[in-house]
Amino acid sequence: MSVNQRSNTPSARQGDGTPGEASGLKRIVAAAMVGTVVEWYEFFLYATAASLVFGTFFFPNAGSELDGIIAAFLTYAVGFVARPLGGIVFGQIGDKLGRKHTLQLTIVLVGVATFLMGCLPGFDSIGYWAPALLVILRFIQGFAVGGEWGGAVLLVAEHSPDRSRGFWSSWPQAAVPVGNLLATLVLLGMSWILPQDEFLSWGWRVAFWVSAIIVVIGYYIRTHVSEAPIFLEAREKIESEKAVSYGVLEVVKRYPRGVLGAMGLRFAENILYYIIVSFTIVYLKTVHQYDTSQLLLALLIAHVVHFLVIPQVGRLSDAFGRKPVYLVGVVLGATWAFFAFPMFDTLNPFLIILAVTIGLVFHAFMYAGQPAIMSEMFPTRMRYSGVSLGYQVTSILAGSLAPIIATALLQEYGSWVPVAIYLLIACGITMVAVLTLKETRGASLREVDAEDARRHGLDEPLAGQVER
């Protein structure tokens, strides 16, 4: 049987849409989502706590309230610095040993780090050891999250039919606002129940401790998922022919354009998101002394809408193409700050909620299609490394710095306009990246493997090596 014939057999196709297969795919989606909810609950919990609590609890000697918040955001940024390292390490492990076992390890690591954050004494108790221990735990948390995203989205993308990969692989993305929603909900509940002094002294810890329960549930569910056939075939190819390479060094060597393209896609999306969910809290709290509970409520409503919109945008990327949908998000995202901050300045609760919600809807047009686009850029033997590297490295330059840069701009100029210009420039960079990409809607991952084999002198396509 020829390579092309083999890749077209029913057993080799990337999903045929039968009821049994759809049911199995839903289980895979659920398993990917629940772990992602856990890990991003814990990651975003830190972001909200950094805005509301950590500035005074761990950095009380800062010169001003904004200085303390900037210091807290710098520890927040440590998690982003660690994420590419986690993406490299776990990408290598995931490409060799599998997506499932890697995801089990990452969920345990991030859970332990987050629980211990809730146990840390403050600066008044142990001095500089407090922020030092916070930084160490934040690094471990970011390291684990760096390996989480690639594994979760690939677990779904590699099981998905070619014609609907955008929709199915967007569900792990939708789990991110669910995690953020839970983090916001827990902090909101504690801020309502407790007086502010008690919330700031110990109430915030409860949200970190709750993560232990969620981790156990997520770990259990992830023990019941299976690897995608296309990955098992690629792994057997690698094991049978030692000359076949995989992992981070190989993807940088063979697919540098893919890595740079993924980074360009991620740049504006990541900046937009963290300005919305982190910096808006700083802006309203410091400029207008807006009520903390009201801020958290606005984010809670916006996260619900974000969750509902993401899969529908994923469906649009299957219907109209990855690039047109992404470009809509880039253009809309470039406009958001110019009307959102005037809406914030009204201090009207409805307009504040509306501005945050619109921002996350704009964000969804970029965010939903990323798993499908990035998985279609790389062959199976190095896909985990490729998507993790492109996705996580950008977080250092984008998401980690966005709240810091925005807060510094606000402190320097006393205006939101420089922040809006900063976001506009970021969207311009991502627009260039999108325009230079190849449209991959409906692409076969097996054909991606076959093309990789032809380009790099492999004996035959990775996915066609094993008969099923």
Side-chain angles (χ1 to χ4, degrees):
M1 181 181 290
S2 69
V3 168
N4 289 335
Q5 287 173 320
R6 187 180 298 135
S7 65
N8 288 325
T9 60
S11 61
R13 289 198 302 267
Q14 190 67 21
D16 58 11
T18 62
E21 181 180 334
S23 176
L25 183 53
K26 289 177 182 177
R27 288 195 296 270
I28 295 292
V29 169
M33 285 187 69
V34 71
T36 302
V37 167
V38 171
E39 301 210 14
W40 288 100
Y41 163 83
E42 295 165 349
F43 199 75
F44 286 128
L45 183 63
Y46 190 103
T48 307
S51 301
L52 299 177
V53 180
F54 289 174
T56 56
F57 193 80
F58 291 103
F59 305 96
N61 295 331
S64 67
E65 184 179 9
L66 282 177
D67 287 334
I69 292 173
I70 290 173
F73 275 143
L74 285 172
T75 66
Y76 177 54
V78 169
F80 287 86
V81 174
R83 281 169 61 175
L85 298 176
I88 290 171
V89 172
F90 289 115
Q92 194 84 5
I93 295 171
D95 281 331
K96 183 177 182 180
L97 301 180
R99 286 54 166 138
K100 172 181 175 178
H101 298 304
T102 306
L103 290 174
Q104 289 173 315
L105 178 57
T106 59
I107 199 172
V108 170
L109 278 177
V110 75
V112 170
T114 305
F115 180 83
L116 291 177
M117 282 180 185
C119 302
L120 285 178
F123 187 91
D124 292 341
S125 299
I126 60 173
Y128 288 102
W129 277 107
L133 291 172
L134 181 66
V135 168
I136 292 171
L137 291 175
R138 178 60 175 172
F139 185 90
I140 295 172
Q141 188 189 54
F143 184 78
V145 171
E148 157 66 22
W149 182 83
V153 299
L154 292 185
L155 198 63
V156 178
E158 292 178 343
H159 278 90
S160 300
D162 298 334
R163 64 182 178 276
S164 56
R165 185 175 298 113
F167 171 70
W168 288 110
S169 63
S170 70
W171 280 99
Q173 302 289 76
V176 174
V178 173
N180 207 340
L181 172 67
L182 291 177
T184 304
L185 189 60
V186 172
L187 287 173
L188 178 63
M190 297 306 298
S191 70
W192 277 348
I193 294 170
L194 298 173
Q196 185 167 356
D197 59 338
E198 291 188 33
F199 171 74
L200 292 177
S201 65
W202 65 268
W204 61 271
R205 298 180 184 275
V206 175
F208 286 80
W209 293 337
V210 166
S211 66
I213 301 172
I214 309 174
V215 164
V216 172
I217 297 172
Y219 182 86
Y220 174 77
I221 292 176
R222 282 191 167 173
T223 61
H224 291 79
V225 300
S226 59
E227 300 286 1
I230 192 171
F231 168 75
L232 295 175
E233 295 166 5
R235 183 172 65 179
E236 186 163 335
K237 172 73 172 178
I238 291 171
E239 290 173 351
S240 64
E241 297 189 18
K242 300 301 182 182
V244 177
S245 299
Y246 62 92
V248 174
L249 294 179
E250 183 74 357
V251 79
V252 171
K253 177 182 178 182
R254 302 294 187 184
Y255 291 89
R257 183 175 177 181
V259 173
L260 290 174
M263 292 175 66
L265 288 175
R266 181 90 166 117
F267 190 68
E269 170 268 307
N270 205 217
I271 289 174
L272 174 63
Y273 189 81
Y274 284 100
I275 286 179
I276 295 171
V277 302
S278 293
F279 177 70
T280 54
I281 295 176
V282 174
Y283 182 80
L284 287 166
K285 185 168 176 284
T286 59
V287 174
H288 296 296
Q289 290 74 50
Y290 198 72
D291 181 65
T292 296
S293 296
Q294 292 296 322
L295 287 174
L296 293 175
L297 179 61
L299 284 172
L300 189 150
I301 294 171
H303 292 322
V304 172
V305 175
H306 200 209
F307 165 74
L308 296 174
V309 169
I310 286 174
Q312 305 313 315
V313 176
R315 197 187 296 274
L316 290 176
S317 76
D318 288 323
F320 299 103
R322 317 294 192 218
K323 291 177 63 172
V325 172
Y326 213 103
L327 284 171
V328 168
V330 173
V331 173
L332 293 177
T335 69
W336 176 78
F338 290 99
F339 66 80
F341 283 95
M343 292 171 73
F344 294 148
D345 289 339
T346 67
L347 299 184
N348 182 305
F350 174 77
L351 292 180
I352 289 172
I353 293 171
L354 185 62
V356 174
T357 303
I358 290 173
L360 290 184
V361 170
F362 289 176
H363 172 265
F365 275 82
M366 290 185 275
Y367 196 58
Q370 283 180 2
I373 298 171
M374 293 186 188
S375 66
E376 291 158 357
M377 288 179 174
F378 305 101
T380 305
R381 65 189 174 106
M382 60 183 79
R383 184 171 292 124
Y384 202 144
S385 296
V387 300
S388 294
L389 193 61
Y391 188 90
Q392 303 298 356
V393 168
T394 316
S395 299
I396 299 177
L397 303 174
S400 71
L401 296 180
I404 299 171
I405 291 174
T407 303
L409 289 172
L410 177 64
Q411 187 176 43
E412 177 68 22
Y413 297 100
S415 169
W416 56 264
V417 175
V419 178
I421 294 173
Y422 165 53
L423 180 58
L424 177 66
I425 293 171
C427 287
I429 293 171
T430 292
M431 178 175 287
V432 173
V434 176
L435 292 173
T436 58
L437 287 180
K438 175 184 176 183
E439 176 60 61
T440 57
R441 175 176 62 121
S444 166
L445 298 186
R446 296 184 182 278
E447 282 302 314
V448 173
D449 287 351
E451 176 61 25
D452 174 62
R454 289 191 290 269
R455 286 175 59 186
H456 300 115
L458 305 179
D459 290 340
E460 54 182 303
L462 295 173
Q465 179 68 15
V466 179
E467 294 287 0
R468 286 283 183 264

